[in-house]
Amino acid sequence: MTSIGAQRQAGPVQIRLSPQEVLRQSFALAAQAHRAGALEEAEKLYRAILAAAPLHADALHGMGVLAHQLGRDDLAETFIREALAQRGEPTFHNNLGLVLLALGRPHEALAAVYRALEFRYAYPEARNALGSIQEKLGHREEAIASYRAAAALRDDYADAWANLAKALLENWQPDAAREAVEKALALNPSCPEAHNTLGNLRRACGDFDEALESFDRAIALRPAYAEAYNNKAVLLLARRECEAAHAAARCALQLRPGLAAAHATLGSIFFAEGKFDESLPCFARALELDPDYLEGYNNLGASLLQIDRTDEAIAAYEKAIALLEEDARASSHFNLANQLLGRASAERAVACFAKALAANPNFAAAQNNLGVALQNLGRREDALDAYERVIELDPDYAPAYSNMLMAMQYSERYGNADALATARVFGAAFDRPDPRGFPGRDRSPERKLRIGFVSGDFNAHPVCFFSIGALEAHDRERYEIFCYYNCTTLDEWTARARGAAEHWRDIFGKSDAEVAEMIREDEIDILVDLAGHTNKTRVVLFGLKPAPVQVHWVGHTGTTGLPSMDYLILDPVSAPPAADACYTEALARLPFGRFCYTVLAAEAPLAAPPCLSRGHVTFGSFNNITKLAPSVIALWARVLNAVPHSRLVLKSRSLAEASARESLAASFAAAGLAPERVEWRGASVYRDMLTEYNDIDIALDPFPFGGATTTCDALWMGVPVVTLPSDRLASRQTFSFLHYMGLGARECVAASPEDYVARAVALASDPDWLAAHRPALREALRDAPFSDAKRFAAGLEQAFRLMWRRYAAGEKPATINLFVA
């Protein structure tokens, strides 16, 4: 019998895998974890593979990509180069290019990506990487072309569209950038790069809330997205949310310590907080990481300027300029020069404007601002030549006309007729009244009027000092005040001006057409200009005639030249009867001067004239040195030489410049005054400056452009001011103050240069008079009618009412005299 063996029990089948298959499956698992974002698991699998097969090309490459994602680009380069040593895979070359780009070696990166494209020409990822490298090298147009090529090679390539959007935005093509980013998000709504770029686009367009949402969405999709954190920090800084900006910038740096832009952002936050010393190491670190980081040099320069390390600042800016394409260098020299000019470095600004003009000889704005810098150095004639050159280059460049008209007031080369002729040319070019007129305006002569004041000087500025009292004292029952502020400076004087007005409008950065429409919507009846042809002017706005009656008051010392400017407010001393012919406007003469004086430092202590203790007389002038024309210097030298042992103290912001001091010293020496008899002083804070008048016995008023604020400062400190009025308005300011004070005019107002010397010598010879009048001058200034704000405001409003009555009656503007003959 055949025996039947027992059936064998079933069990698991044992499959023996080859070592190669184990490695293949392990790598597949590692790659899957890597794609899913499980970086820790992927790293464990890669390391296990490499422990068994140290030369496994794909695992080496995977470790390199992973290290790059974690910000360890030095390690990433090592791994990917080892992978390439095993196999010349185009993907390896391409990713090596991205790592080298992150390491700040764009030219090596370019070679690596081109090597990838040699292996595989139609390689969308390599085209995308090529675009990133080209952007880094400043070849933005080529980068845009590369991103477009990458997107064309792959229909679903959201990252390429996102990068294209970024490059288009940086090339300031916002509409095209928006189309590209919308395409990226349509392909992949979870593309973090697209949300990041959309945030930058929204921020650039001023949509800050939506931009913040985009950055937060990018970070939610990629929690380790350092660039998005940095962009969020930049946005928060723009919103002045410095604490939150700090947190975002530090997140960016924690995620990617080598991100140069994040170090620069942190520096910018410190800069915004006024912590300039703390900002410097941040910018320096950014430049260590990226020696070609343009904004890093610019920011470093800005911080160095703030702490008066000007030479180092200029060097930083020059490095930034060297990184620019040649056609952009003129603008950068121009911007640097403007910063230097704003920080009272006119001498250095002149050199930078010259570089801008060397790069672009037809750069009208640079030529104009060169004139401003030259004028600040007292080189008035050179400044006038510069302004004339601007008008030749660009007859429609309004600031050059304004600067020319102001500079003419300082110059002996021009008189009233010359200024009037130039102003008429300006008026003909820029008087473009709105044809709509005011057909629906209520012309009731006695109704409540809406008065608008336009100024960039509602802050600590002489224009505000000479107008704020009248604004605060206006009759709120009969007049409604609107202030249109053309500046961003906010201080205690701005707060006072806001409090004086029923309505406040910020107009800085808005076009003349926009502001004109705003004024029309406010239904302003009388629009008052407080700048004329001075700094921060909006005089071109008045050429659009946005109000039925337009008036210039304070600010400028001459005619605006605009036919649409109906009236100019002066007084009978500033504008005697023959003066009407010097203006295109009808004159409205107030009874007590054209300035409403406000005491600025009531507590400033008076001291006895210093001649009583020093044994010699000290003359002084705290005026802008641009006013010191050759005839002024010659006459002042005569005064000092007529008073033995006397000294002259000159104080001006521009005297911090060595070239300005040297030029003036040479001029005084040529006029026969020994250099040791002149003392130079730079600017100081206002109260300190006032106390320096205690070092002065007698103030000397320059001509043909005399003092206004400086005269009042001297008189408040009890220092008499010797003045020489002529037919120019600018020369009659001190005369007007003294006339309405009723004190000092007999002793201080000269009829000729010889009389000027005689009166100065007479005062210097009478120390008892100087001592007695120290307190008397302050008292007379305080009690003058132009210091009585209510009284002054009543006269001003009476003039406004007469102007309106003429308009209501359909009559043309005509002279208004409110003084008693």
Side-chain angles (χ1 to χ4, degrees), residues 183-224:
K183 178 71 173 176
L185 290 170
L187 290 169
N188 180 10
S190 298
C191 176
E193 289 84 1
H195 286 286
N196 184 51
T197 298
L198 180 58
N200 284 330
L201 178 63
R202 287 170 164 174
R203 182 184 68 204
C205 295
D207 302 324
F208 285 2
D209 291 339
E210 293 181 3
L212 189 59
E213 290 176 10
S214 295
F215 293 137
D216 284 338
R217 177 66 176 147
I219 291 166
L221 289 166
R222 183 185 295 164

mmCIF file of all heavy atoms in Angstrom, residues 183-224:
data_model
loop_
_atom_site.group_PDB
_atom_site.id
_atom_site.type_symbol
_atom_site.label_atom_id
_atom_site.label_comp_id
_atom_site.label_asym_id
_atom_site.label_seq_id
_atom_site.Cartn_x
_atom_site.Cartn_y
_atom_site.Cartn_z
ATOM 1 N N LYS A 183 -2.308 83.395 -13.083
ATOM 2 C CA LYS A 183 -2.114 82.142 -13.814
ATOM 3 C C LYS A 183 -1.491 81.090 -12.906
ATOM 4 O O LYS A 183 -1.917 79.920 -12.890
ATOM 5 C CB LYS A 183 -1.213 82.405 -15.017
ATOM 6 C CG LYS A 183 -0.884 81.173 -15.843
ATOM 7 C CD LYS A 183 -2.069 80.673 -16.613
ATOM 8 C CE LYS A 183 -1.667 79.539 -17.573
ATOM 9 N NZ LYS A 183 -2.834 78.964 -18.279
ATOM 10 N N ALA A 184 -0.482 81.503 -12.109
ATOM 11 C CA ALA A 184 0.168 80.567 -11.191
ATOM 12 C C ALA A 184 -0.830 80.016 -10.183
ATOM 13 O O ALA A 184 -0.865 78.799 -9.914
ATOM 14 C CB ALA A 184 1.323 81.257 -10.474
ATOM 15 N N LEU A 185 -1.647 80.854 -9.636
ATOM 16 C CA LEU A 185 -2.614 80.420 -8.617
ATOM 17 C C LEU A 185 -3.758 79.608 -9.222
ATOM 18 O O LEU A 185 -4.331 78.745 -8.545
ATOM 19 C CB LEU A 185 -3.153 81.628 -7.855
ATOM 20 C CG LEU A 185 -2.131 82.292 -6.925
ATOM 21 C CD1 LEU A 185 -2.652 83.607 -6.388
ATOM 22 C CD2 LEU A 185 -1.780 81.348 -5.776
ATOM 23 N N ALA A 186 -4.082 79.876 -10.490
ATOM 24 C CA ALA A 186 -5.094 79.055 -11.149
ATOM 25 C C ALA A 186 -4.564 77.631 -11.351
ATOM 26 O O ALA A 186 -5.312 76.648 -11.209
ATOM 27 C CB ALA A 186 -5.469 79.673 -12.500
ATOM 28 N N LEU A 187 -3.268 77.513 -11.654
ATOM 29 C CA LEU A 187 -2.656 76.196 -11.823
ATOM 30 C C LEU A 187 -2.460 75.487 -10.496
ATOM 31 O O LEU A 187 -2.608 74.267 -10.395
ATOM 32 C CB LEU A 187 -1.299 76.341 -12.530
ATOM 33 C CG LEU A 187 -1.350 76.751 -14.009
ATOM 34 C CD1 LEU A 187 0.040 77.117 -14.505
ATOM 35 C CD2 LEU A 187 -1.933 75.605 -14.846
ATOM 36 N N ASN A 188 -2.107 76.278 -9.476
ATOM 37 C CA ASN A 188 -1.849 75.689 -8.159
ATOM 38 C C ASN A 188 -2.221 76.688 -7.071
ATOM 39 O O ASN A 188 -1.397 77.531 -6.697
ATOM 40 C CB ASN A 188 -0.373 75.298 -8.035
ATOM 41 C CG ASN A 188 -0.051 74.681 -6.671
ATOM 42 O OD1 ASN A 188 -0.957 74.375 -5.888
ATOM 43 N ND2 ASN A 188 1.234 74.494 -6.398
ATOM 44 N N PRO A 189 -3.436 76.626 -6.549
ATOM 45 C CA PRO A 189 -3.864 77.576 -5.506
ATOM 46 C C PRO A 189 -3.013 77.506 -4.247
ATOM 47 O O PRO A 189 -3.068 78.405 -3.413
ATOM 48 C CB PRO A 189 -5.310 77.154 -5.224
ATOM 49 C CG PRO A 189 -5.734 76.376 -6.423
ATOM 50 C CD PRO A 189 -4.504 75.696 -6.923
ATOM 51 N N SER A 190 -2.227 76.427 -4.116
ATOM 52 C CA SER A 190 -1.392 76.268 -2.922
ATOM 53 C C SER A 190 0.078 76.552 -3.208
ATOM 54 O O SER A 190 0.960 76.074 -2.490
ATOM 55 C CB SER A 190 -1.549 74.840 -2.371
ATOM 56 O OG SER A 190 -2.891 74.598 -1.980
ATOM 57 N N CYS A 191 0.338 77.353 -4.237
ATOM 58 C CA CYS A 191 1.728 77.687 -4.577
ATOM 59 C C CYS A 191 2.207 78.813 -3.664
ATOM 60 O O CYS A 191 1.774 79.968 -3.808
ATOM 61 C CB CYS A 191 1.814 78.112 -6.036
ATOM 62 S SG CYS A 191 3.457 78.665 -6.543
ATOM 63 N N PRO A 192 3.086 78.536 -2.716
ATOM 64 C CA PRO A 192 3.500 79.582 -1.771
ATOM 65 C C PRO A 192 4.229 80.737 -2.455
ATOM 66 O O PRO A 192 4.058 81.896 -2.071
ATOM 67 C CB PRO A 192 4.412 78.844 -0.782
ATOM 68 C CG PRO A 192 4.807 77.578 -1.460
ATOM 69 C CD PRO A 192 3.710 77.234 -2.412
ATOM 70 N N GLU A 193 5.028 80.429 -3.492
ATOM 71 C CA GLU A 193 5.738 81.498 -4.186
ATOM 72 C C GLU A 193 4.763 82.494 -4.808
ATOM 73 O O GLU A 193 5.001 83.710 -4.805
ATOM 74 C CB GLU A 193 6.656 80.922 -5.268
ATOM 75 C CG GLU A 193 7.877 80.197 -4.752
ATOM 76 C CD GLU A 193 7.586 78.744 -4.385
ATOM 77 O OE1 GLU A 193 6.416 78.308 -4.558
ATOM 78 O OE2 GLU A 193 8.504 78.056 -3.912
ATOM 79 N N ALA A 194 3.665 81.978 -5.367
ATOM 80 C CA ALA A 194 2.683 82.866 -5.994
ATOM 81 C C ALA A 194 2.015 83.758 -4.960
ATOM 82 O O ALA A 194 1.813 84.962 -5.195
ATOM 83 C CB ALA A 194 1.640 82.038 -6.742
ATOM 84 N N HIS A 195 1.676 83.200 -3.809
ATOM 85 C CA HIS A 195 1.065 84.021 -2.754
ATOM 86 C C HIS A 195 2.052 85.073 -2.240
ATOM 87 O O HIS A 195 1.669 86.210 -1.957
ATOM 88 C CB HIS A 195 0.582 83.130 -1.602
ATOM 89 C CG HIS A 195 -0.665 82.361 -1.924
ATOM 90 N ND1 HIS A 195 -1.906 82.958 -1.975
ATOM 91 C CD2 HIS A 195 -0.857 81.051 -2.226
ATOM 92 C CE1 HIS A 195 -2.817 82.047 -2.287
ATOM 93 N NE2 HIS A 195 -2.208 80.877 -2.447
ATOM 94 N N ASN A 196 3.320 84.691 -2.153
ATOM 95 C CA ASN A 196 4.342 85.645 -1.715
ATOM 96 C C ASN A 196 4.466 86.803 -2.708
ATOM 97 O O ASN A 196 4.493 87.978 -2.327
ATOM 98 C CB ASN A 196 5.679 84.920 -1.575
ATOM 99 C CG ASN A 196 6.775 85.814 -1.042
ATOM 100 O OD1 ASN A 196 6.609 86.473 -0.017
ATOM 101 N ND2 ASN A 196 7.897 85.854 -1.741
ATOM 102 N N THR A 197 4.503 86.474 -4.004
ATOM 103 C CA THR A 197 4.601 87.523 -5.026
ATOM 104 C C THR A 197 3.340 88.370 -5.060
ATOM 105 O O THR A 197 3.403 89.604 -5.229
ATOM 106 C CB THR A 197 4.859 86.893 -6.400
ATOM 107 O OG1 THR A 197 6.117 86.209 -6.355
ATOM 108 C CG2 THR A 197 4.913 87.948 -7.486
ATOM 109 N N LEU A 198 2.184 87.736 -4.894
ATOM 110 C CA LEU A 198 0.936 88.502 -4.847
ATOM 111 C C LEU A 198 0.966 89.485 -3.673
ATOM 112 O O LEU A 198 0.500 90.630 -3.791
ATOM 113 C CB LEU A 198 -0.258 87.555 -4.714
ATOM 114 C CG LEU A 198 -1.639 88.215 -4.656
ATOM 115 C CD1 LEU A 198 -1.898 89.064 -5.890
ATOM 116 C CD2 LEU A 198 -2.718 87.163 -4.471
ATOM 117 N N GLY A 199 1.547 89.055 -2.555
ATOM 118 C CA GLY A 199 1.693 89.964 -1.418
ATOM 119 C C GLY A 199 2.547 91.160 -1.758
ATOM 120 O O GLY A 199 2.212 92.308 -1.431
ATOM 121 N N ASN A 200 3.667 90.914 -2.464
ATOM 122 C CA ASN A 200 4.540 92.027 -2.876
ATOM 123 C C ASN A 200 3.830 92.960 -3.848
ATOM 124 O O ASN A 200 3.997 94.181 -3.792
ATOM 125 C CB ASN A 200 5.819 91.478 -3.503
ATOM 126 C CG ASN A 200 6.790 90.935 -2.477
ATOM 127 O OD1 ASN A 200 6.822 91.416 -1.338
ATOM 128 N ND2 ASN A 200 7.556 89.935 -2.843
ATOM 129 N N LEU A 201 3.048 92.382 -4.748
ATOM 130 C CA LEU A 201 2.292 93.189 -5.704
ATOM 131 C C LEU A 201 1.268 94.054 -4.984
ATOM 132 O O LEU A 201 1.136 95.256 -5.257
ATOM 133 C CB LEU A 201 1.609 92.271 -6.716
ATOM 134 C CG LEU A 201 0.737 92.939 -7.778
ATOM 135 C CD1 LEU A 201 1.577 93.856 -8.656
ATOM 136 C CD2 LEU A 201 0.048 91.883 -8.633
ATOM 137 N N ARG A 202 0.557 93.467 -4.053
ATOM 138 C CA ARG A 202 -0.451 94.216 -3.304
ATOM 139 C C ARG A 202 0.203 95.305 -2.451
ATOM 140 O O ARG A 202 -0.320 96.407 -2.339
ATOM 141 C CB ARG A 202 -1.262 93.260 -2.434
ATOM 142 C CG ARG A 202 -2.243 92.401 -3.237
ATOM 143 C CD ARG A 202 -2.867 91.299 -2.401
ATOM 144 N NE ARG A 202 -4.058 90.744 -3.056
ATOM 145 C CZ ARG A 202 -4.722 89.699 -2.609
ATOM 146 N NH1 ARG A 202 -4.316 89.061 -1.488
ATOM 147 N NH2 ARG A 202 -5.796 89.276 -3.235
ATOM 148 N N ARG A 203 1.347 94.977 -1.860
ATOM 149 C CA ARG A 203 2.056 95.979 -1.051
ATOM 150 C C ARG A 203 2.500 97.149 -1.930
ATOM 151 O O ARG A 203 2.351 98.318 -1.556
ATOM 152 C CB ARG A 203 3.267 95.351 -0.372
ATOM 153 C CG ARG A 203 4.033 96.311 0.543
ATOM 154 C CD ARG A 203 5.274 95.673 1.101
ATOM 155 N NE ARG A 203 6.251 95.438 0.064
ATOM 156 C CZ ARG A 203 7.217 94.524 0.121
ATOM 157 N NH1 ARG A 203 7.322 93.736 1.168
ATOM 158 N NH2 ARG A 203 8.082 94.378 -0.878
ATOM 159 N N ALA A 204 3.020 96.839 -3.115
ATOM 160 C CA ALA A 204 3.480 97.892 -4.025
ATOM 161 C C ALA A 204 2.333 98.796 -4.456
ATOM 162 O O ALA A 204 2.540 99.977 -4.729
ATOM 163 C CB ALA A 204 4.150 97.273 -5.249
ATOM 164 N N CYS A 205 1.130 98.246 -4.503
ATOM 165 C CA CYS A 205 -0.051 99.025 -4.902
ATOM 166 C C CYS A 205 -0.735 99.687 -3.714
ATOM 167 O O CYS A 205 -1.780 100.321 -3.883
ATOM 168 C CB CYS A 205 -1.032 98.133 -5.653
ATOM 169 S SG CYS A 205 -0.395 97.513 -7.220
ATOM 170 N N GLY A 206 -0.160 99.534 -2.516
ATOM 171 C CA GLY A 206 -0.712 100.182 -1.329
ATOM 172 C C GLY A 206 -1.828 99.423 -0.653
ATOM 173 O O GLY A 206 -2.450 99.935 0.288
ATOM 174 N N ASP A 207 -2.099 98.170 -1.089
ATOM 175 C CA ASP A 207 -3.168 97.374 -0.469
ATOM 176 C C ASP A 207 -2.563 96.547 0.670
ATOM 177 O O ASP A 207 -2.371 95.321 0.560
ATOM 178 C CB ASP A 207 -3.821 96.461 -1.514
ATOM 179 C CG ASP A 207 -4.393 97.246 -2.681
ATOM 180 O OD1 ASP A 207 -4.909 98.351 -2.430
ATOM 181 O OD2 ASP A 207 -4.321 96.762 -3.824
ATOM 182 N N PHE A 208 -2.255 97.211 1.771
ATOM 183 C CA PHE A 208 -1.473 96.581 2.833
ATOM 184 C C PHE A 208 -2.218 95.432 3.523
ATOM 185 O O PHE A 208 -1.610 94.400 3.836
ATOM 186 C CB PHE A 208 -1.058 97.628 3.859
ATOM 187 C CG PHE A 208 0.057 98.527 3.398
ATOM 188 C CD1 PHE A 208 0.588 98.397 2.124
ATOM 189 C CD2 PHE A 208 0.579 99.508 4.231
ATOM 190 C CE1 PHE A 208 1.616 99.210 1.684
ATOM 191 C CE2 PHE A 208 1.614 100.334 3.805
ATOM 192 C CZ PHE A 208 2.134 100.178 2.532
ATOM 193 N N ASP A 209 -3.495 95.589 3.780
ATOM 194 C CA ASP A 209 -4.236 94.524 4.475
ATOM 195 C C ASP A 209 -4.267 93.251 3.628
ATOM 196 O O ASP A 209 -4.048 92.141 4.133
ATOM 197 C CB ASP A 209 -5.657 94.988 4.798
ATOM 198 C CG ASP A 209 -5.688 96.064 5.864
ATOM 199 O OD1 ASP A 209 -4.700 96.170 6.625
ATOM 200 O OD2 ASP A 209 -6.686 96.806 5.941
ATOM 201 N N GLU A 210 -4.561 93.394 2.339
ATOM 202 C CA GLU A 210 -4.601 92.232 1.459
ATOM 203 C C GLU A 210 -3.205 91.630 1.294
ATOM 204 O O GLU A 210 -3.051 90.410 1.197
ATOM 205 C CB GLU A 210 -5.165 92.633 0.096
ATOM 206 C CG GLU A 210 -6.643 93.031 0.151
ATOM 207 C CD GLU A 210 -7.178 93.409 -1.222
ATOM 208 O OE1 GLU A 210 -6.420 93.315 -2.212
ATOM 209 O OE2 GLU A 210 -8.355 93.796 -1.292
ATOM 210 N N ALA A 211 -2.184 92.491 1.262
ATOM 211 C CA ALA A 211 -0.808 91.992 1.150
ATOM 212 C C ALA A 211 -0.453 91.128 2.349
ATOM 213 O O ALA A 211 0.169 90.062 2.209
ATOM 214 C CB ALA A 211 0.160 93.161 1.023
ATOM 215 N N LEU A 212 -0.842 91.567 3.530
ATOM 216 C CA LEU A 212 -0.556 90.797 4.743
ATOM 217 C C LEU A 212 -1.221 89.429 4.684
ATOM 218 O O LEU A 212 -0.628 88.412 5.076
ATOM 219 C CB LEU A 212 -1.032 91.578 5.964
ATOM 220 C CG LEU A 212 -0.622 91.019 7.329
ATOM 221 C CD1 LEU A 212 0.893 90.943 7.450
ATOM 222 C CD2 LEU A 212 -1.190 91.889 8.445
ATOM 223 N N GLU A 213 -2.453 89.380 4.169
ATOM 224 C CA GLU A 213 -3.147 88.098 4.008
ATOM 225 C C GLU A 213 -2.363 87.172 3.081
ATOM 226 O O GLU A 213 -2.248 85.969 3.334
ATOM 227 C CB GLU A 213 -4.548 88.326 3.446
ATOM 228 C CG GLU A 213 -5.520 88.998 4.414
ATOM 229 C CD GLU A 213 -6.867 89.275 3.756
ATOM 230 O OE1 GLU A 213 -7.089 88.777 2.625
ATOM 231 O OE2 GLU A 213 -7.687 89.979 4.369
ATOM 232 N N SER A 214 -1.820 87.730 2.015
ATOM 233 C CA SER A 214 -1.053 86.908 1.058
ATOM 234 C C SER A 214 0.211 86.354 1.692
ATOM 235 O O SER A 214 0.539 85.167 1.510
ATOM 236 C CB SER A 214 -0.690 87.748 -0.177
ATOM 237 O OG SER A 214 -1.844 88.123 -0.885
ATOM 238 N N PHE A 215 0.938 87.184 2.423
ATOM 239 C CA PHE A 215 2.158 86.689 3.080
ATOM 240 C C PHE A 215 1.821 85.611 4.114
ATOM 241 O O PHE A 215 2.524 84.604 4.211
ATOM 242 C CB PHE A 215 2.916 87.842 3.729
ATOM 243 C CG PHE A 215 3.488 88.835 2.749
ATOM 244 C CD1 PHE A 215 3.395 90.198 2.985
ATOM 245 C CD2 PHE A 215 4.118 88.414 1.594
ATOM 246 C CE1 PHE A 215 3.910 91.110 2.088
ATOM 247 C CE2 PHE A 215 4.644 89.321 0.677
ATOM 248 C CZ PHE A 215 4.534 90.677 0.930
ATOM 249 N N ASP A 216 0.771 85.838 4.876
ATOM 250 C CA ASP A 216 0.374 84.834 5.872
ATOM 251 C C ASP A 216 -0.047 83.529 5.196
ATOM 252 O O ASP A 216 0.221 82.429 5.714
ATOM 253 C CB ASP A 216 -0.768 85.374 6.740
ATOM 254 C CG ASP A 216 -0.281 86.381 7.775
ATOM 255 O OD1 ASP A 216 0.926 86.359 8.101
ATOM 256 O OD2 ASP A 216 -1.092 87.192 8.258
ATOM 257 N N ARG A 217 -0.709 83.628 4.035
ATOM 258 C CA ARG A 217 -1.092 82.418 3.305
ATOM 259 C C ARG A 217 0.142 81.686 2.818
ATOM 260 O O ARG A 217 0.226 80.445 2.904
ATOM 261 C CB ARG A 217 -1.984 82.817 2.122
ATOM 262 C CG ARG A 217 -2.403 81.658 1.229
ATOM 263 C CD ARG A 217 -3.295 80.680 1.948
ATOM 264 N NE ARG A 217 -3.758 79.628 1.050
ATOM 265 C CZ ARG A 217 -3.992 78.389 1.423
ATOM 266 N NH1 ARG A 217 -3.824 78.020 2.701
ATOM 267 N NH2 ARG A 217 -4.423 77.483 0.568
ATOM 268 N N ALA A 218 1.142 82.419 2.297
ATOM 269 C CA ALA A 218 2.383 81.788 1.842
ATOM 270 C C ALA A 218 3.071 81.062 2.991
ATOM 271 O O ALA A 218 3.566 79.935 2.825
ATOM 272 C CB ALA A 218 3.305 82.838 1.240
ATOM 273 N N ILE A 219 3.078 81.677 4.162
ATOM 274 C CA ILE A 219 3.732 81.066 5.325
ATOM 275 C C ILE A 219 2.958 79.846 5.805
ATOM 276 O O ILE A 219 3.547 78.837 6.211
ATOM 277 C CB ILE A 219 3.875 82.119 6.444
ATOM 278 C CG1 ILE A 219 4.903 83.186 6.024
ATOM 279 C CG2 ILE A 219 4.277 81.470 7.756
ATOM 280 C CD1 ILE A 219 4.886 84.436 6.878
ATOM 281 N N ALA A 220 1.623 79.908 5.738
ATOM 282 C CA ALA A 220 0.819 78.752 6.133
ATOM 283 C C ALA A 220 1.093 77.561 5.219
ATOM 284 O O ALA A 220 1.124 76.402 5.664
ATOM 285 C CB ALA A 220 -0.662 79.123 6.096
ATOM 286 N N LEU A 221 1.291 77.832 3.932
ATOM 287 C CA LEU A 221 1.569 76.759 2.981
ATOM 288 C C LEU A 221 2.989 76.231 3.109
ATOM 289 O O LEU A 221 3.248 75.054 2.825
ATOM 290 C CB LEU A 221 1.343 77.270 1.553
ATOM 291 C CG LEU A 221 -0.115 77.528 1.164
ATOM 292 C CD1 LEU A 221 -0.193 78.345 -0.118
ATOM 293 C CD2 LEU A 221 -0.859 76.198 1.006
ATOM 294 N N ARG A 222 3.929 77.124 3.524
ATOM 295 C CA ARG A 222 5.316 76.719 3.710
ATOM 296 C C ARG A 222 5.826 77.368 4.991
ATOM 297 O O ARG A 222 6.376 78.476 4.973
ATOM 298 C CB ARG A 222 6.174 77.127 2.525
ATOM 299 C CG ARG A 222 7.632 76.644 2.665
ATOM 300 C CD ARG A 222 8.495 77.175 1.528
ATOM 301 N NE ARG A 222 8.090 76.636 0.252
ATOM 302 C CZ ARG A 222 8.457 77.145 -0.926
ATOM 303 N NH1 ARG A 222 9.255 78.194 -0.974
ATOM 304 N NH2 ARG A 222 8.041 76.601 -2.051
ATOM 305 N N PRO A 223 5.666 76.700 6.130
ATOM 306 C CA PRO A 223 6.021 77.319 7.416
ATOM 307 C C PRO A 223 7.476 77.750 7.527
ATOM 308 O O PRO A 223 7.804 78.630 8.321
ATOM 309 C CB PRO A 223 5.689 76.209 8.427
ATOM 310 C CG PRO A 223 4.647 75.382 7.736
ATOM 311 C CD PRO A 223 5.025 75.387 6.296
ATOM 312 N N ALA A 224 8.351 77.156 6.711
ATOM 313 C CA ALA A 224 9.770 77.536 6.770
ATOM 314 C C ALA A 224 10.132 78.493 5.640
ATOM 315 O O ALA A 224 11.263 78.494 5.151
ATOM 316 C CB ALA A 224 10.651 76.286 6.703
#
